[in-house]
């Protein structure tokens, strides 16, 4: 297996960004976070859909990439359509909740300067709720998207599976 266009999906805290970075180092690909495409970096407010779509189309013109995010909205379909491989991270809720909480605490004590993710308690609650309902909601939508475009899809449910995949993809 030697995919050059990889789309990674999963809930907050599932390890999408860390996993994408590992694959990028292994395969010398560039990683794109859908949050950076959808939101302005300075205030974490959504950008206009037309500009968001233009940003995504510019990325899709590259011969290789990794795109990662939690979305299942129609605007991401062009990326699914062009992907060689879909990876869905379906980690246990306790794992994702721990990571979301840890990220929130790091930002509160200024170890993480990122503007993305849980900045307030309301954000934290929203992300935890999303992670809790992922299996019965967005996971189903993510699988449906991969099937709709007949894309090879790998579901990863543990850190050991994730590490095994990294070794296999080199």
């Amino acid at each position: 297996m030697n995919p050059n266009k990889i789309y990674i999906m999963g809930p907050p805290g599932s390890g999408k960004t860390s996993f994408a970075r590992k694959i990028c180092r292994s395969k010398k690909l560039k990683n794109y976070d859908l949050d950076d495409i959808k939101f302005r970096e300075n205030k974490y407010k959504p950008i206009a859909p037309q500009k968001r779509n233009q940003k995504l189309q510019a990325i899709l013109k590259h011969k290789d990439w990794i795109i990662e995010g939690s979305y299942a909205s129609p605007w991401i379909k062009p990326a699914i359509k062009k992907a060689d491989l879909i990876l869905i991270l379906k980690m246990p809720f306790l794992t994702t909740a721990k990571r979301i909480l840890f990220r929130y605490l790091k930002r509160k004590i200024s170890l993480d300067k990122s503007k993305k993710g849980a900045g307030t308690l309301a954000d934290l609650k929203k992300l935890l709720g999303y992670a809790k309902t992922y299996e019965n909601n967005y996971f189903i939508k993510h699988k449906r998207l991969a099937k709709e475009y007949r894309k090879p899809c790998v579901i990863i449910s543990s850190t050991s599976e994730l590490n095994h995949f990294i070794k296999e993809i080199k």
Side-chain angles (χ1 to χ4, degrees), residues 77 80 141 143-151:
K77 287 185 175 186
I80 302 290
K141 292 175 184 178
K143 284 194 327 184
R144 194 176 299 139
L145 280 167
K147 187 175 183 179
E148 178 182 340
Y149 290 99
R150 294 183 175 96
K151 296 298 177 175

Side-chain angles (χ1 to χ4, degrees), residues 37-55:
I37 296 167
K38 184 175 174 157
F39 296 102
R40 284 189 208 123
E41 293 177 22
N42 59 350
K43 297 279 187 185
Y44 207 65
K45 302 282 184 205
I47 65 169
Q50 182 179 357
K51 183 164 175 127
R52 174 203 65 206
N53 295 344
Q54 288 172 343
K55 288 169 82 172

Side-chain angles (χ1 to χ4, degrees), residues 11-15 91-107 118 124 127-129 131-132 159:
S14 61
M91 300 299 181
F93 171 69
L94 288 177
T95 300
T96 59
K98 180 180 76 171
R99 290 174 179 169
I100 292 166
L101 185 57
F102 185 67
R103 187 183 316 152
Y104 171 78
L105 293 173
K106 278 178 34 180
R107 289 184 182 147
L124 177 64
L127 288 173
L128 287 169
K132 178 122 178 97
T159 304

Side-chain angles (χ1 to χ4, degrees), residues 102-129:
F102 185 67
R103 187 183 316 152
Y104 171 78
L105 293 173
K106 278 178 34 180
R107 289 184 182 147
K108 285 300 171 191
I109 59 173
S110 299
L111 292 177
D112 182 350
K113 305 284 189 226
S114 173
K115 302 270 191 265
K116 296 186 279 187
T120 66
L121 281 174
D123 293 337
L124 177 64
K125 184 178 178 184
K126 186 176 174 181
L127 288 173
L128 287 169

Side-chain angles (χ1 to χ4, degrees), residues 3-104:
N4 291 320
K5 296 176 182 176
I6 301 171
Y7 195 105
I8 302 174
M9 304 175 177
S14 61
K16 295 179 303 293
T17 302
S18 298
F19 187 38
R21 286 181 186 147
K22 288 178 182 179
I23 296 172
C24 286
R25 281 193 297 270
S26 172
K27 291 186 60 68
K28 309 279 191 273
L29 301 175
K30 181 147 174 54
N31 178 41
Y32 299 93
D33 183 335
L34 288 177
D35 285 343
D36 294 335
I37 296 167
K38 184 175 174 157
F39 296 102
R40 284 189 208 123
E41 293 177 22
N42 59 350
K43 297 279 187 185
Y44 207 65
K45 302 282 184 205
I47 65 169
Q50 182 179 357
K51 183 164 175 127
R52 174 203 65 206
N53 295 344
Q54 288 172 343
K55 288 169 82 172
L56 181 59
Q57 286 302 323
I59 293 165
L60 297 179
K61 289 179 182 175
H62 297 272
K63 67 179 178 118
D64 48 26
W65 42 257
I66 293 178
I67 295 175
E68 47 100 354
S70 299
Y71 304 98
S73 307
W75 70 273
I76 61 134
K77 287 185 175 186
I80 302 290
K81 191 174 182 177
K82 290 209 173 210
D84 299 326
L85 176 66
I86 306 296
L87 299 174
I88 301 176
L89 303 187
K90 187 183 163 223
M91 300 299 181
F93 171 69
L94 288 177
T95 300
T96 59
K98 180 180 76 171
R99 290 174 179 169
I100 292 166
L101 185 57
F102 185 67
R103 187 183 316 152
Y104 171 78

